[in-house]
């Protein structure tokens, strides 16, 4: 498998005294499903957001395909972002717009400002949006306003908006943190399916260890801005969890034991 993304000695400093990432190194192959786990404040969101330059790293190199994204100009950045879809904890939808309108917003990266403002989408784009919504089980909600949807439905709209971009990679920052267990399973199954059947690389920040272990090809465990673990889910034992989570450990071990008992 070819390498899609590579972090080389990446660091991120906020202001004078917060070092959110220090010397982070890892690679992600095309088609991989990678979860990032770690305690609150470890740097998970910062790491994810450096990949599409929502946040600018302070040092190192971030290679996406063959270019260092830290050096991209405005045009290059627009191109990069059209190839990377983002899924958010709080969905980031426009509530007063319909499902299909929100999904079509995923195409804005390919349009001029004028086309975007006028909402000029081709028949092909609308057809594609419809197909994706159908795949995600939302064909009956297409003309509904987004504020009439459940959380799980909203997140599926968020995923559809990312997919209509035709991305190579999806970045998901706590995609299930606001959802109940059933809706969470539906979302994780869709993300796994998107990775396996569409070949789209998925990187997801999760605070539920057991979910990360179940769905991922690989886990990155982060603590205080450093990658402490980089390997398969099977290599995560109590010792690794202790190193990743420090004092929060008992909570996560509790979750795991519940899962194994049940
Ligand atoms: N915009 C910012 N300005 C200053 N400090 C920030 C900013 N964003 C994050 N930080 C700090 O950087 C560190 C990493 O934050 P980050 O949000 O990446 O952690 P996280 O692992 O995503 O945490 P959580 O699990 O709570 O979402 C924290 O110490 C945080 O306080
Ligand atoms: Mg976060």
């Amino acid at each position: 498998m070819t390498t899609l993304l590579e972090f080389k000695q990446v660091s991120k400093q906020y202001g004078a005294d917060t070092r959110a990432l220090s010397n982070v190194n890892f690679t992600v192959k095309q088609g991989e499903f990678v979860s990032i786990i770690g305690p609150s404040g470890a740097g998970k969101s910062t790491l994810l957001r450096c990949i599409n330059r929502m946040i600018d790293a302070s040092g190192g190199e971030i290679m996406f395909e063959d270019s260092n994204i830290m050096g991209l100009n405005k045009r290059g950045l627009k191109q990069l972002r059209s190839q990377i879809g983002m899924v958010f904890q709080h969905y980031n939808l426009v509530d007063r717009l319909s499902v299909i309108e929100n999904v079509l917003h995923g195409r804005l990266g390919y349009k001029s400002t004028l086309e975007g403002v006028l909402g000029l989408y081709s028949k092909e784009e609308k057809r594609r949006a419809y197909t994706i919504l159908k795949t995600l089980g939302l064909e009956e909600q297409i003309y509904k306003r987004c504020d009439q949807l459940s959380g799980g439905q909203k997140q599926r709209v968020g995923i559809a908006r990312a997919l209509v971009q035709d991305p190579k990679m999806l970045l998901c920052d706590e995609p299930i943190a606001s959802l109940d267990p059933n809706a969470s399973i539906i979302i994780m199954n869709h993300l796994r399916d998107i990775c396996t059947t569409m070949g789209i690389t998925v990187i997801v920040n999760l605070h539920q260890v057991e979910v990360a272990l179940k769905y991922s090809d690989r886990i990155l465990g982060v603590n205080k801005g450093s990658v402490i673990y980089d390997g398969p889910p099977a290599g995560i034992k109590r010792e690794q969890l202790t190193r990743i989570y420090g004092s929060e450990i008992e909570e996560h071990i509790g979750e795991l034991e519940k899962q194994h008992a049940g």
Side-chain angles (χ1 to χ4, degrees), residues 57-73:
S58 319
E61 284 180 19
I62 301 175
M63 306 296 293
F64 184 80
E65 297 190 305
D66 291 323
S67 58
N68 180 1
I69 62 137
M70 304 206 0
L72 292 176
N73 60 18

Side-chain angles (χ1 to χ4, degrees), residues 64-124:
F64 184 80
E65 297 190 305
D66 291 323
S67 58
N68 180 1
I69 62 137
M70 304 206 0
L72 292 176
N73 60 18
K74 213 174 151 191
R75 181 148 164 259
L77 198 55
K78 189 169 175 179
Q79 252 168 28
L80 173 81
R81 286 183 178 154
S82 65
Q83 297 186 67
I84 300 179
M86 185 99 192
V87 173
F88 302 88
Q89 175 179 352
H90 299 293
Y91 328 118
N92 287 21
L93 304 177
V94 183
D95 273 338
R96 64 186 168 77
L97 294 183
S98 67
V99 166
I100 186 86
E101 286 170 305
N102 269 280
V103 172
L104 286 166
H105 279 177
R107 296 300 301 172
L108 289 177
Y110 291 100
K111 297 192 176 296
S112 68
T113 311
L114 184 64
E115 286 173 318
V117 169
L118 296 177
L120 296 177
Y121 300 104
S122 68
K123 245 195 191 128
E124 182 48 38

Side-chain angles (χ1 to χ4, degrees), residues 34-177:
V34 177
S35 290
I36 303 172
I37 60 172
S40 184
K44 304 182 295 296
S45 296
T46 302
L47 192 161
L48 209 67
R49 281 156 200 251
C50 284
I51 299 171
N52 65 356
R53 294 257 315 259
M54 281 169 81
I55 292 176
D56 281 319
S58 319
E61 284 180 19
I62 301 175
M63 306 296 293
F64 184 80
E65 297 190 305
D66 291 323
S67 58
N68 180 1
I69 62 137
M70 304 206 0
L72 292 176
N73 60 18
K74 213 174 151 191
R75 181 148 164 259
L77 198 55
K78 189 169 175 179
Q79 252 168 28
L80 173 81
R81 286 183 178 154
S82 65
Q83 297 186 67
I84 300 179
M86 185 99 192
V87 173
F88 302 88
Q89 175 179 352
H90 299 293
Y91 328 118
N92 287 21
L93 304 177
V94 183
D95 273 338
R96 64 186 168 77
L97 294 183
S98 67
V99 166
I100 186 86
E101 286 170 305
N102 269 280
V103 172
L104 286 166
H105 279 177
R107 296 300 301 172
L108 289 177
Y110 291 100
K111 297 192 176 296
S112 68
T113 311
L114 184 64
E115 286 173 318
V117 169
L118 296 177
L120 296 177
Y121 300 104
S122 68
K123 245 195 191 128
E124 182 48 38
E125 286 175 312
K126 290 177 194 165
R127 214 175 281 141
R128 177 95 182 107
Y130 176 75
T131 306
I132 291 168
L133 284 167
K134 210 169 146 191
T135 308
L136 294 169
L138 288 170
E139 71 262 55
E140 277 159 28
Q141 325 294 335
I142 284 180
Y143 299 109
K144 268 199 189 156
R145 278 171 57 133
C146 279
D147 52 13
Q148 294 170 359
L149 303 177
S150 70
Q153 289 171 331
K154 284 182 185 172
Q155 193 56 295
R156 281 183 274 155
V157 176
I159 293 171
R161 179 185 53 193
L163 287 180
V164 85
Q165 276 180 236
D166 230 340
K168 293 205 168 109
M169 178 185 276
L170 282 190
L171 304 177
C172 312
D173 197 353
E174 305 279 2
I176 57 171

